[in-house]
Amino acid sequence: MTNKKQKILPKPIHGLLLLILVAGFVVSPLSKTVRADRFSDQINELKNQNTQNEQSVKALQVEAGNIAEVIAGLQTQINGLQDQINANQAKSDELARQITEAEIELDKQKNLMGQNIRAMYLEGDITTLEMLASSKDLSEFIDRQQYRDAVKDKIKSTLDRISILKAQLNTAKEETERLIQEDNVLKAQADANKAEQRRLLGFNQAQQSEYNKQIKENKAQITELKRQQVLENIRLFGAGGAPGIPGGGGYPWGNAYCVHTNKVSGPCDNYDWYFRGGPWDVWGYGYRNCTSWVAYKLAADGKTGFSYLGNAADWPSAAAARGYKVSYGSGARVGDAAVNPNGYYGHVMYVEAVFDDGRVVVSDYNRLGDGLYRGPEGNSAGVINQSGLVFISF
């Protein structure tokens, strides 16, 4: 019912959702047990299906991780090939530019050669005696002949060099273009492989979605079956004021002992229940208190966000501050925390079922300050109106 002090403890590992067992009675116990067990059997079957589905999802997630790694590797390969293609293309462009320059220079040198040939042809019409006669002296005649020969040799050498360079450039360009074609082929193959891996990943994710959908639907069926089971138990055995049960409802700390820190005798105070040397459970609530019971049930449902909310009376405002849905006086759903905010500590219960007329079936601990469980198992689940209660959906 209360929780005076909170202690920061490690985050718990959520336990499996425990089934609501059917208590036997002296009057027609066999028929009542069979009627209740049909819900348990269906719940167990759905849970087994979910266990298998969850294992399949985990296997698919591992496979999806491997596929994602392959895709990442292929993308790295594609990026590397594209870098090579870009580098070779730049090299090819540069070679094309150099070839163009070589062709321009070759044309220029050919033009010079033509001019030189024409000059030599014209000079060829002059006899050696006439050239010698037109020269000032023998030295000038020799210089003119050597110059003509030197120019001719130089132009020819330049033509040969440029021709060789152009041939080398063309060979390099052809090799570069061959490399570009090969890289493009490899890139296309990598792209196709990547597309196939993405297809497999999409199929994998579709399978995961289908399994998760089945898991969700099974959980909804489990919730409905639990609701029907609770209502069936209430109809069979009533919801009267049977004594509370220590450790009922599957609560794992029902054997927490009372140390009477503030009392020599009498009922145990709310924070006097100790388990393994301490009064606080893994969610920061006192053992065998209402807050600890509801936290246990919420954790069993796979929910989070309910740790260290303070006393039961503090839960609505604290939960709202964390962004959870809080409804006042109506809107209860199976699995909600139902808070009676009256008093300093208040009281919080777990919604087991909702009747068509709006009344709710709740289970709780420490309802009477005795640290005991009251619920369908104990033939003492509370059936109360929603008015005056606050419902929190985690």
Side-chain angles (χ1 to χ4, degrees), residues 224 227 231 235 353-361 383 386:
E224 175 59 20
R227 184 186 74 85
L231 295 178
R235 292 187 185 98
V354 181
F355 281 114
D356 292 338
D357 62 7
R359 292 179 301 160
V360 294
V361 181
V383 180
Q386 296 188 42

Side-chain angles (χ1 to χ4, degrees), residues 1 8 71 142 194 200 254 259 293 310 313 321 323 352:
M1 183 182 297
I8 298 177
I71 291 174
I142 293 173
K194 179 183 172 184
L200 293 175
V259 296
W293 163 250
E352 299 280 1

Side-chain angles (χ1 to χ4, degrees), residues 50 53-58 60-61 204-219:
N50 273 2
N53 289 340
E54 287 167 356
Q55 291 173 348
S56 297
V57 169
K58 288 181 180 178
L60 286 169
Q61 288 173 341
N204 177 293
Q205 291 171 340
Q207 287 181 303
Q208 287 190 52
S209 296
E210 183 60 30
Y211 279 122
N212 286 327
K213 178 183 177 183
Q214 293 177 10
I215 291 170
K216 184 178 179 180
E217 291 175 352
N218 285 350
K219 285 182 177 179

Side-chain angles (χ1 to χ4, degrees), residues 25 28 52 111 115 125 132 182 193 257 260 320 350 355-356:
F25 272 67
S28 302
Q52 295 174 4
N111 184 49
Q115 293 177 4
D125 292 339
L132 180 61
E182 290 179 356
N193 196 356
Y257 59 92
H260 292 297
Y350 178 82
F355 281 114
D356 292 338

Side-chain angles (χ1 to χ4, degrees), residues 116-132 134 144-145 148:
N116 189 51
I117 291 173
R118 283 195 300 272
M120 287 189 295
Y121 176 78
L122 292 175
E123 289 178 354
D125 292 339
I126 304 174
T127 65
T128 303
L129 291 175
E130 289 176 328
M131 183 182 294
L132 180 61
S134 63
R144 288 175 65 183
Q145 184 65 33
R148 185 181 67 177

Side-chain angles (χ1 to χ4, degrees), residues 136-353:
K136 295 180 180 180
D137 51 31
L138 182 61
S139 175
E140 182 180 350
F141 170 78
I142 293 173
D143 289 343
R144 288 175 65 183
Q145 184 65 33
Q146 288 178 340
Y147 175 75
R148 185 181 67 177
D149 293 341
V151 169
K152 181 183 69 173
D153 292 342
K154 182 178 180 181
I155 292 175
K156 184 177 182 305
S157 175
T158 301
L159 285 174
D160 293 341
R161 179 176 58 79
I162 294 174
S163 296
I164 293 172
L165 175 62
K166 181 182 175 183
Q168 292 174 342
L169 291 173
N170 279 322
T171 300
K173 189 172 184 295
E174 289 173 359
E175 176 63 17
T176 302
E177 289 175 348
R178 184 186 66 79
L179 292 175
I180 291 174
Q181 290 177 352
E182 290 179 356
D183 287 343
N184 277 323
V185 170
L186 293 175
K187 183 173 178 288
Q189 292 174 349
D191 281 330
N193 196 356
K194 179 183 172 184
E196 174 62 14
Q197 294 297 320
R198 284 196 177 278
R199 187 190 68 81
L200 293 175
L201 182 59
F203 179 69
N204 177 293
Q205 291 171 340
Q207 287 181 303
Q208 287 190 52
S209 296
E210 183 60 30
Y211 279 122
N212 286 327
K213 178 183 177 183
Q214 293 177 10
I215 291 170
K216 184 178 179 180
E217 291 175 352
N218 285 350
K219 285 182 177 179
Q221 292 184 50
I222 289 171
T223 298
E224 175 59 20
L225 287 170
K226 286 173 61 181
R227 184 186 74 85
Q228 294 179 23
Q229 185 182 39
V230 171
L231 295 178
E232 183 76 0
N233 287 335
I234 295 297
R235 292 187 185 98
L236 287 172
F237 310 124
I245 304 174
Y251 181 70
W253 302 291
N255 60 342
Y257 59 92
C258 181
V259 296
H260 292 297
T261 54
N262 291 336
K263 294 185 179 182
V264 176
S265 62
C268 199
D269 281 352
N270 297 315
Y271 44 86
D272 286 349
W273 299 103
Y274 269 60
F275 183 83
R276 293 182 180 174
W280 311 108
D281 65 19
V282 292
W283 303 287
Y285 304 115
Y287 291 119
R288 295 175 66 168
N289 275 248
C290 63
T291 47
S292 182
W293 163 250
V294 175
Y296 160 73
K297 289 288 286 183
L298 293 172
D301 288 343
K303 297 176 180 178
T304 59
F306 48 81
S307 299
Y308 305 104
L309 291 174
N311 296 319
D314 301 324
W315 278 38
S317 59
R322 294 182 184 182
Y324 293 102
K325 180 182 178 181
V326 178
S327 304
Y328 293 84
S330 63
R333 299 186 301 181
V334 174
D336 280 358
V339 179
N340 178 356
N342 296 324
Y344 177 78
Y345 296 113
H347 185 63
V348 63
M349 302 156 282
Y350 178 82
V351 177
E352 299 280 1

Side-chain angles (χ1 to χ4, degrees), residues 69-142:
E69 288 182 4
V70 172
I71 291 174
L74 288 169
Q75 187 59 57
T76 300
Q77 179 182 350
I78 290 169
N79 293 340
L81 288 169
Q82 187 60 57
D83 289 342
Q84 291 180 24
I85 291 170
N86 293 340
N88 285 331
Q89 188 60 57
K91 182 178 179 182
S92 178
D93 293 342
E94 174 61 20
L95 288 170
R97 185 189 66 80
Q98 293 179 19
I99 290 171
T100 299
E101 291 181 351
E103 289 174 341
I104 293 172
E105 181 64 21
L106 191 59
D107 289 340
K108 178 182 176 181
Q109 294 301 324
K110 285 180 178 179
N111 184 49
L112 291 175
M113 175 65 81
Q115 293 177 4
N116 189 51
I117 291 173
R118 283 195 300 272
M120 287 189 295
Y121 176 78
L122 292 175
E123 289 178 354
D125 292 339
I126 304 174
T127 65
T128 303
L129 291 175
E130 289 176 328
M131 183 182 294
L132 180 61
S134 63
S135 300
K136 295 180 180 180
D137 51 31
L138 182 61
S139 175
E140 182 180 350
F141 170 78
I142 293 173

